[in-house]
Amino acid sequence: MTLEVNSAPGRALRAVDQEEGATAMGLAHPKYKVAVVQAAPAWLDLDASIRKTIGLIEEAADKGARLIAFPEVFIPGYPWHIWMDSPAWCIGRGFVQRYFDNSLAYDSPQAEALRAAVRKAKLTAVLGLSERDGGSLYIAQWLIGSDGETIAKRRKLRPTHAERTVYGEGDGSDLAVHDRPDIGRIGALCCWEHLQPLSKYAMYAQNELGRASPCTIHSRRRSAPRSTMPPRESMRWKARASCWRRAQPSRRR
């Protein structure tokens, strides 16, 4: 899905003809396309996740997008197993080790492949991933510029409920807005961070223009569930990327 948004006010000026023939300067709002990924990931398979992510980046670039936003932990997918049974069950079934092994480390060849794909596509990407750092995992967002260089890396402040059996916590130092010459002042928050007023306030206070707002949706319904995100605020835009899974009835033995 693509959106067309206005860039930051003040990026350019244009002349406006007055009735008297005088010329005044007003704000112009350049437009650009944003690609919002709403797709199922390649669960528990890092290499397949990288291939799918690169394919979506290339598709977005081909359609003229200058920014692409991915769902929460799209790489290697959301750990649905944490909602199916106890942590001991998840360990016994092998989910915990497999999820850890297929999470992304920033110093890996897979991460370098992502940077190269973004650089080739000449767009800005906000990736959602399970970050592996030492012996810990984090719900992370990786902002990569159109030159392939890292704009920012951030971690979800506090994982939600059962997510705390998988992920560590962020420290808040990365609640930042980044001024980009091509797309304006952008930020990123994850899922339920949008329901925490002080997290959003920290972004607003930095004059945020747009935000990547990834989340994960777990639904037993055929139709899309009602959004739990707050309504659009003021002059800002939000790109909400979602990861989908159709829940099946439990068949435990």
Side-chain angles (χ1 to χ4, degrees):
M1 182 174 71
T2 59
L3 307 174
E4 192 172 84
V5 302
N6 290 326
S7 186
R11 289 284 170 196
L13 296 174
R14 64 181 176 186
V16 180
D17 292 330
Q18 304 290 312
E19 290 183 1
E20 298 82 0
T23 300
M25 301 301 290
L27 291 177
H29 301 270
K31 294 182 179 180
Y32 59 89
K33 286 185 178 180
V34 177
V36 182
V37 175
Q38 295 185 335
W43 268 288
L44 300 174
D45 189 329
L46 176 59
D47 291 333
S49 294
I50 299 301
R51 289 193 296 270
K52 186 162 189 175
T53 301
I54 290 175
L56 290 166
I57 289 171
E58 292 172 345
E59 180 183 352
D62 289 342
K63 294 182 178 179
R66 287 164 58 185
L67 171 67
I68 183 171
F70 282 85
E72 184 180 33
V73 291
F74 189 73
I75 302 171
Y78 187 82
W80 294 107
H81 50 271
I82 62 178
W83 302 101
M84 297 171 66
D85 211 307
S86 66
W89 179 87
C90 295
I91 294 171
R93 289 281 182 165
F95 287 117
V96 172
Q97 188 66 58
R98 187 175 174 187
Y99 195 81
F100 181 87
D101 293 345
N102 284 276
S103 294
L104 182 69
Y106 286 124
D107 59 354
S108 65
Q110 293 90 345
E112 181 57 35
L114 290 171
R115 292 177 65 250
V118 174
R119 181 170 58 249
K120 181 179 179 182
K122 295 184 170 84
L123 48 63
T124 298
V126 183
L127 304 179
L129 60 123
S130 171
E131 175 196 349
R132 187 176 72 248
D133 184 13
S136 298
L137 300 180
Y138 301 91
I139 296 176
Q141 291 170 285
W142 186 14
L143 286 71
I144 306 175
S146 56
D147 57 359
E149 298 301 317
T150 294
I151 299 172
K153 302 170 183 174
R154 70 168 308 267
R155 294 168 175 172
K156 188 174 181 179
L157 283 171
R158 187 162 177 78
T160 303
H161 201 267
E163 292 173 358
R164 297 169 198 169
T165 66
V166 178
Y167 303 108
E169 298 182 358
D171 61 9
S173 63
D174 46 27
L175 283 174
V177 173
H178 311 280
D179 195 3
R180 306 298 296 173
D182 52 345
I183 56 176
R185 298 182 62 82
I186 63 166
L189 291 175
C190 240
C191 202
W192 274 43
E193 287 184 317
H194 292 87
L195 300 182
Q196 299 164 353
L198 288 180
S199 297
K200 293 190 295 182
Y201 174 80
M203 309 302 281
Y204 299 159
Q206 299 173 70
N207 296 318
E208 180 187 47
L209 169 71
R211 182 190 311 148
S213 307
C215 67
T216 302
I217 297 174
H218 186 172
S219 174
R220 293 180 180 271
R221 295 160 42 187
R222 293 185 179 275
S223 59
R226 181 178 299 175
S227 171
T228 57
M229 294 293 184
R232 181 177 299 177
E233 301 97 341
S234 185
M235 294 295 291
R236 300 171 179 85
W237 58 264
K238 291 193 294 183
R240 184 188 179 195
S242 303
C243 168
W244 290 87
R245 173 185 182 270
R246 296 298 183 193
Q248 302 296 326
S250 176
R251 296 180 179 177
R252 301 177 190 167
R253 296 181 180 178

